[in-house]
Amino acid sequence: MSIFQGIELIRSSLLPDEHISFLEHSELWERLLAETDVSDVEIPSSVHFQIRLDSLPLYVLDVQLNGDTPEITIKGLPRSSQEEWHSRVHELLAEHTESEFLVFNVLTQLLPQLKDELGQEHELATPSIANGIPVPSQIYHVLFTSHHLISPTKRKNLQSWSSSLSLSGFAKVGYPGLIYAQGTQDDIEEFVTDVKAMQWLALRVRFVEPLPFEVDPGSLRNWTEFQKVGEAVEEMKRLGREKFVVEMGVGS
């Protein structure tokens, strides 16, 4: 089965409260899925998409297909649950490894489990104000600047920490260095401690604060590296957060 057929099958199987968004070639994929005949269209050889659930606004199912083995991760998990869900995904992939519908079969089993188990945890963990209206967990973000960011070790550590702490964000490498990340308060605070523990030239924590608005899970990406300041500013603009870097004199 081709990548296009697999994506078409996955999208058609989603329930009304399940939404897919493409992080690469998004306009092309939307056009392909809207066409009745794609025989004359060049289909991308890889795809990176996310599925978000209305009932679980803090979690995003991230899927990358590039080669024989798909990468499926659940973003937003607390550290206490990451290993368990990672093992579940691994077991499901192993169970369906010979299937022509590998990713489809995994997702059709994984999505109901997420709704059932994480939905209960979300209800129990979500604080409420006096009138009983649930208040979602606060998302924090942090911005660092430094004289430069070149070290392969630092860059590898940032990538590793962003994965283990379920953070999204980016690093702008070269001169100057920029690091931006978002996640839960505990995870962001641990990330700040880890980053500051490394040797830096003129490292500054520009801010560590709660995001003043609700985060759209569909906008989140895995950890990314940029080579130019303008690329980092464009990413912040995409997220609707350009003012956070412009106010700090970045990219102005």
Side-chain angles (χ1 to χ4, degrees):
M1 182 173 60
S2 69
I3 283 185
F4 172 72
Q5 291 172 319
I7 295 299
E8 194 173 37
L9 180 61
I10 290 168
R11 181 168 177 171
S12 65
S13 69
L14 295 178
L15 297 176
D17 66 335
E18 301 169 352
H19 311 280
I20 188 171
S21 59
F22 298 92
L23 302 188
E24 297 175 354
H25 311 295
S26 58
E27 292 184 1
L28 175 59
W29 278 109
E30 292 294 344
R31 183 166 64 87
L32 286 171
L33 292 167
E35 296 286 341
T36 55
D37 181 10
V38 297
S39 58
D40 60 342
V41 181
E42 184 176 353
I43 308 296
S45 59
S46 63
V47 62
H48 183 187
F49 65 89
Q50 293 180 336
I51 296 176
R52 57 187 177 86
L53 310 174
D54 289 344
S55 58
L56 296 172
L58 299 181
Y59 306 104
V60 177
L61 192 60
D62 188 273
V63 182
Q64 295 186 63
L65 302 177
N66 186 11
D68 296 331
T69 305
E71 295 182 20
I72 301 176
T73 56
I74 305 166
K75 298 178 69 68
L77 288 171
R79 280 168 287 169
S80 58
S81 302
Q82 288 174 10
E83 185 175 347
E84 176 189 350
W85 283 99
H86 176 78
S87 297
R88 289 199 195 189
V89 171
H90 182 75
E91 290 172 1
L92 288 171
L93 286 170
E95 178 182 343
H96 298 287
T97 187
E98 300 298 329
S99 172
E100 182 182 6
F101 310 102
L102 172 59
V103 176
F104 171 77
N105 287 336
V106 171
L107 294 182
T108 54
Q109 290 185 249
L110 190 59
L111 285 169
Q113 292 180 25
L114 287 171
K115 286 183 178 181
D116 183 40
E117 299 183 36
L118 291 183
Q120 294 179 16
E121 293 179 11
H122 180 68
E123 291 176 1
L124 292 173
T126 301
S128 299
I129 59 178
N131 62 6
I133 299 176
V135 178
S137 300
Q138 183 67 66
I139 300 298
Y140 273 63
H141 64 161
V142 59
L143 176 68
F144 295 88
T145 60
S146 67
H147 179 267
H148 63 270
L149 174 54
I150 299 174
S151 165
T153 299
K154 287 189 175 77
R155 293 162 65 180
K156 183 177 179 181
N157 285 342
L158 292 171
Q159 176 76 51
S160 175
W161 293 334
S162 70
S163 177
S164 64
L165 295 172
S166 296
L167 304 180
S168 62
F170 62 83
K172 184 271 166 190
V173 300
Y175 297 82
L178 300 175
I179 303 169
Y180 177 81
Q182 73 170 44
T184 64
Q185 181 178 359
D186 287 346
D187 290 334
I188 285 293
E189 289 176 351
E190 182 172 338
F191 181 72
V192 170
T193 299
D194 290 337
V195 172
K196 291 171 68 176
M198 296 190 291
Q199 294 289 330
W200 295 91
L201 178 59
L203 179 71
R204 294 180 62 189
V205 181
R206 296 304 189 106
F207 58 74
V208 183
E209 61 187 17
L211 273 168
F213 47 81
E214 185 176 349
V215 176
D216 175 12
S219 69
L220 304 183
R221 290 181 174 175
N222 290 336
W223 191 258
T224 306
E225 282 194 349
F226 298 116
Q227 302 294 324
K228 299 178 181 178
V229 171
E231 294 174 334
V233 174
E234 282 300 312
E235 175 68 2
M236 293 297 279
K237 186 182 297 184
R238 184 187 72 82
L239 294 169
R241 303 172 198 171
E242 182 183 9
K243 70 171 186 174
F244 290 106
V245 292
V246 173
E247 289 175 354
M248 299 296 163
V250 176
S252 59

